[in-house]
């Protein structure tokens, strides 16, 4: 009897290697195990539009020097149900049947309606033994963005901000025709890097016109490998000029002017196939979303320094007793929204 969770854990590890390159597809890894429990091949989905994990894995097996095992005695492990549809690539379930793999162990069923159980059915109809639901919680966590898009028809929402010890996002800034004061710097080089990692992990980044005007951010991923997120700007009054950095050629920018209502924006982003959005401010937008209640995670960085005067207040949320991490003396909190 094979130790199923052990191999599914390995598929999750492999799947994660595609992290910055597969969106909006899920991260998927696969391992082929012989009857003695040895892994004889591995593969993962490397790039959007590219071969799926199962195809990579079986191909690696066939190209390897130990390709003399009987596949009917082998088990293929995969963290997500093999697909059953013709998309950018042919169905993995069909390939698995044709290669004559004996058994398939699936971490989680694919929530994509094009697949949703049909992959497993195809395999079973062909007489292949299929086990479903191993380390399901971990499998869901890895692909929470992809799952959210398919199950809730909206992107996964992460709210992110940094505040001073006394609860401010920014100072009240001096602004005149000749002089505009820069933003209060709260993050450190290291915590900034983590923000850029989040930009690479999520498909879109959203700000309001206040932030775009005051900070003129480019919202690119420069301190971490991976793609620049798609930029989303809520600009009801059409205030942000076209020469702002948010409109640079580095990434696509979607602007909402006529309707900036949160549920509408989420629905529209979903229609565009965007599976995740991180919200980087400012205060007005963050408060609006917290009021609405549709968000999945909050990442809050609390600096060890106080502003010491009146400033722009951060949203009032009750923080957990323990921060998730402490970096450079800054407390990093992570909260989950309601399921
Ligand atoms: C798998 N293995 O490695 C991936 C799967 O457009 P396509 O052909 O790439 O299909 C994308 C869909 O296939 C995606 O939405 C998800 O349902 C599934 N992704 N499935 O068996 C993989 N990446
Ligand atoms: Zn597939």
């Amino acid at each position: 009897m094979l130790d199923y969770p052990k191999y599914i854990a390995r598929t999750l590890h492999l799947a994660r290697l595609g992290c910055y390159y597969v969106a909006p597809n899920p991260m998927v890894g696969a391992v082929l195990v012989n009857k003695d429990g040895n892994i004889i091949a591995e593969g993962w989905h490397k790039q959007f539009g590219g071969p799926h994990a199962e195809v990579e894995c079986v191909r690696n097996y066939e190209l390897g020097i130990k390709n003399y095992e009987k596949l009917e005695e082998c088990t293929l492990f995969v963290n997500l149900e093999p697909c059953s549809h013709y998309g950018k690539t042919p169905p993995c379930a069909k390939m698995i049947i044709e290669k004559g793999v004996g058994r398939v162990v699936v971490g989680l069923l694919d929530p994509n309606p094009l697949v949703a159980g049909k992959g497993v059915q195809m395999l079973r109809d062909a007489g292949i033994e299929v086990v479903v639901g191993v380390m399901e919680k971990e499998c869901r966590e890895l692909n929470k963005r992809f799952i959210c898009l398919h199950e809730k028809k909206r992107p996964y929402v992460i709210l992110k901000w940094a505040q001073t010890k006394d609860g401010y996002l920014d100072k009240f800034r001096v602004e005149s025709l000749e002089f505009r004061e820069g933003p209060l710097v709260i993050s450190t080089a290291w915590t900034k890097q983590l923000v850029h990692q989040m930009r690479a992990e999520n498909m879109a980044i959203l700000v309001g016109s206040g932030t775009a005007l005051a900070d003129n951010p480019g919202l690119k991923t420069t301190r971490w490998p991976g793609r620049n997120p798609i930029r989303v700007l809520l600009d009801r009054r059409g205030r942000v000029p076209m020469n702002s950095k948010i409109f640079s050629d580095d990434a696509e920018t979607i602007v909402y002017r006529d309707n900036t209502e949160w549920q509408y924006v989420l629905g529209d982003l979903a229609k565009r196939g965007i599976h995740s959005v991180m919200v980087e401010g400012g205060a007005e937008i963050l408060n609006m979303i917290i009021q609405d209640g549709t968000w999945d995670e909050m990442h809050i960085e609390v600096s060890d320094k106080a502003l010491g005067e009146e400033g722009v207040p951060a949203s009032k949320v009750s923080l957990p007793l323990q921060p998730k991490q402490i970096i450079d003396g800054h407390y990093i909190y992570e909260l989950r929204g309601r399921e």
Side-chain angles (χ1 to χ4, degrees), residues 110-183:
D110 186 343
N112 182 352
L114 290 171
V115 185
K118 296 190 208 70
V120 166
Q121 199 54 49
M122 261 174 94
L123 295 169
R124 286 191 175 139
D125 289 348
I128 296 174
E129 183 193 340
V130 186
V131 177
V132 179
V134 178
M135 293 186 82
E136 251 180 308
K137 191 163 155 268
E138 291 81 357
C139 292
R140 282 188 74 87
E141 176 62 24
L142 179 72
N143 281 312
K144 59 193 173 190
R145 296 170 179 83
F146 170 80
I147 292 168
C148 181
L149 179 63
H150 285 291
E151 287 185 354
K152 300 185 175 165
K153 310 288 177 237
R154 65 162 176 85
Y156 193 82
V157 178
I158 302 179
L159 310 182
K160 181 256 134 198
W161 73 83
Q163 65 184 56
T164 59
K165 199 176 172 184
D166 45 356
Y168 296 109
L169 295 174
D170 202 348
K171 55 194 166 187
F172 289 128
R173 290 190 239 167
V174 177
E175 200 175 330
S176 67
L177 279 178
E178 307 80 47
F179 176 74
R180 183 191 276 174
E181 206 178 356

Side-chain angles (χ1 to χ4, degrees), residues 158-317:
I158 302 179
L159 310 182
K160 181 256 134 198
W161 73 83
Q163 65 184 56
T164 59
K165 199 176 172 184
D166 45 356
Y168 296 109
L169 295 174
D170 202 348
K171 55 194 166 187
F172 289 128
R173 290 190 239 167
V174 177
E175 200 175 330
S176 67
L177 279 178
E178 307 80 47
F179 176 74
R180 183 191 276 174
E181 206 178 356
L184 174 71
V185 176
I186 298 175
S187 303
T188 71
W190 187 358
T191 61
K192 269 186 200 144
Q193 237 188 327
L194 293 179
V195 174
H196 283 233
Q197 180 181 15
M198 283 172 67
R199 289 181 179 179
E201 282 168 356
N202 293 291
M203 276 184 83
I205 184 163
L206 182 145
V207 295
S209 56
T211 301
L213 285 169
D215 304 348
N216 194 18
L219 303 175
K220 294 189 287 178
T221 309
T222 52
R223 294 165 187 252
W224 202 265
R227 297 183 294 197
N228 292 325
I230 295 168
R231 296 167 298 195
V232 181
L233 172 65
L234 304 192
D235 187 13
R236 205 150 34 90
R237 283 156 283 176
R239 295 191 297 158
V240 180
M242 285 311 290
N243 62 357
S244 304
K245 283 194 198 155
I246 198 167
F247 292 118
S248 73
D249 294 334
D250 302 294
E252 188 190 333
T253 304
I254 302 169
V255 188
Y256 292 94
R257 289 215 168 94
D258 304 327
N259 192 348
T260 55
E261 201 248 323
W262 187 229
Q263 293 301 327
Y264 170 78
V265 170
L266 286 177
D268 189 70
L269 292 175
K271 278 192 205 131
R272 295 169 191 258
I274 293 174
H275 75 14
S276 50
V277 58
M278 66 183 282
V279 180
E280 275 207 37
E284 204 184 312
I285 301 268
L286 289 163
N287 284 333
M288 180 266 284
I289 297 171
I290 293 168
Q291 193 83 39
D292 176 284
T294 310
W295 53 273
D296 299 286
E297 290 179 26
M298 263 180 198
H299 292 229
I300 305 165
E301 171 181 352
V302 181
S303 136
D304 52 354
K305 294 184 193 65
L307 179 62
E309 59 186 48
E310 280 285 297
V312 181
S315 306
K316 294 238 173 324
V317 293

